């Protein structure tokens, strides 16, 4: 039920952290994956390590998105799975102190780029008889947040994008879902992992009392991409160790 043999995929932001784990998870189940990030050297290195094609792509560049989809079709013969993972946190702080240029960049990378890439990819996935699109949202898009406001706003938009696209493309056999990770141990979260006060507070709010791993997000993505998730669409699947539902006990 989790077999992806013969399937072709794009994973954006797939040179490290969650994106790389997702790409590796899809590959382990038999998929061919175009590795992508905005850094050409990182993209080439990771693509070589995984034995997959690589295509550098700034997701805010329309021409680069065209080239990314074209590379998947040229190298893999088509497209069945799209994972929109590329994103940035932006500058922390309350809305009252918002840097509007930073706000615009966060929204452009985290949300607008997903709309643009989906507009290019979904018709191609539908033409292959259907497939799966996975958008990476965040727990922060489901809770109030006083520090990463633009990020949280963009990720709430991603979850709504999944619902809208699921309605639009479901009749054509394309399933669209979002994943909302909680606190995941990655290179980017290393400073927080080293902050004892933060970790004590955050783990007290998490029933499983530990951070998640990129591989656990990858497992969720494999489920959504595979026949096992074949009747799941329009969902924002929360993978957070229980942080969203806890009363802090």
């Amino acid at each position: 039920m989790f077999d992806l043999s013969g399937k072709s995929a794009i994973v954006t932001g797939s040179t490290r952290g969650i994106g790389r784990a997702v790409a590796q998870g899809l590959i382990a189940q038999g998929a061919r994956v175009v590795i992508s990030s905005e850094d050409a050297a990182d993209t080439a290195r990771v693509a070589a390590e995984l034995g997959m094609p690589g295509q550098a792509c700034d997701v805010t560049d329309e021409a680069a998105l065209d080239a990314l989809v074209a590379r998947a079709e040229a190298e893999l013969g088509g497209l069945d799975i799209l994972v929109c993972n590329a994103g940035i946190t932006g500058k922390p702080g309350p809305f009252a102190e918002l840097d509007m240029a930073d706000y615009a960049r966060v929204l452009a990378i985290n949300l607008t780029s997903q709309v643009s890439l989906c507009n290019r990819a979904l018709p191609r996935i539908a033409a292959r008889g259907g497939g799966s699109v996975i958008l990476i949202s965040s727990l922060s898009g489901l809770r109030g947040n006083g520090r990463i406001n633009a990020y949280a706003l963009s990720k709430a938009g991603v979850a709504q994008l999944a619902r809208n696209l699921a309605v639009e493309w479901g009749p054509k056999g394309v399933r669209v879902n979002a994943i909302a990770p909680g606190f995941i141990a990655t290179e980017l979260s290393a400073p927080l992992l080293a902050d004892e006060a933060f970790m004590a507070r955050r783990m007290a709010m998490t029933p499983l009392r530990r951070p998640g791993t990129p591989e656990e997000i990858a497992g969720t993505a494999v489920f959504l991409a595979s026949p096992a998730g074949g009747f799941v669409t329009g969902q924002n699947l929360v993978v957070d160790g229980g942080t969203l539902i806890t009363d802090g006990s």
Side-chain angles (χ1 to χ4, degrees):
M1 293 184 72
F2 296 92
D3 183 35
L4 295 172
S5 297
K7 300 300 183 181
S8 302
I10 291 172
V11 182
T12 65
S14 49
T15 58
R16 61 179 177 175
I18 289 172
R20 176 165 178 159
V22 169
Q24 290 177 299
L26 298 177
I27 292 165
Q29 296 303 318
R32 296 274 293 164
V33 179
V34 175
I35 304 302
S36 179
S37 80
E38 66 177 354
D39 187 305
D42 279 352
T43 299
R45 174 180 55 80
V46 174
E49 290 172 358
L50 300 181
M52 293 288 152
Q55 179 72 31
C57 179
D58 175 352
V59 294
T60 65
D61 183 328
E62 300 286 325
L65 293 176
D66 287 334
L68 178 61
V69 174
R71 181 71 183 278
E73 293 199 308
E75 291 276 348
L76 308 180
L79 188 61
D80 306 291
I81 300 163
L82 172 66
V83 182
C84 294
N85 169 72
I88 61 171
T89 304
K91 297 177 181 178
F95 273 123
E97 299 172 6
L98 194 64
D99 178 332
M100 290 306 295
D102 183 70
Y103 169 85
R105 178 165 170 76
V106 170
L107 269 289
I109 292 174
N110 292 5
L111 179 57
T112 304
S113 75
Q114 296 200 19
V115 175
S116 295
L117 184 50
C118 285
N119 282 342
R120 289 162 168 79
L122 270 68
R124 291 167 168 84
I125 295 173
R128 295 260 285 182
S132 177
V133 177
I134 301 163
L135 313 179
I136 303 301
S137 182
S138 170
L139 177 63
S140 67
L142 292 165
R143 296 159 57 97
N145 196 300
R147 294 290 295 166
I148 49 174
N149 285 303
Y151 177 83
L153 184 60
S154 71
K155 293 301 188 177
V158 167
Q160 184 61 38
L161 177 61
R163 290 186 283 267
N164 288 356
L165 291 175
V167 169
E168 182 177 348
W169 288 93
K172 299 176 183 178
V174 182
R175 297 181 295 107
V176 186
N177 293 284
I179 298 174
F183 185 71
I184 307 298
T186 66
E187 294 174 30
L188 291 178
S189 63
L192 294 175
L193 289 164
D195 184 332
E196 292 185 7
F198 169 84
M199 289 300 295
R201 183 173 68 253
R202 185 58 185 264
M203 293 304 99
M205 297 168 56
T206 302
L208 290 184
R209 298 295 193 264
R210 66 171 178 84
T213 69
E215 291 72 24
E216 287 168 326
I217 306 304
T220 306
V222 168
F223 162 70
L224 291 174
S226 71
F231 203 51
V232 180
T233 196
Q235 301 304 304
N236 184 26
L237 189 52
V238 181
V239 186
D240 71 341
T243 306
L244 181 65
I245 56 84
T246 188
D247 63 357
S249 298

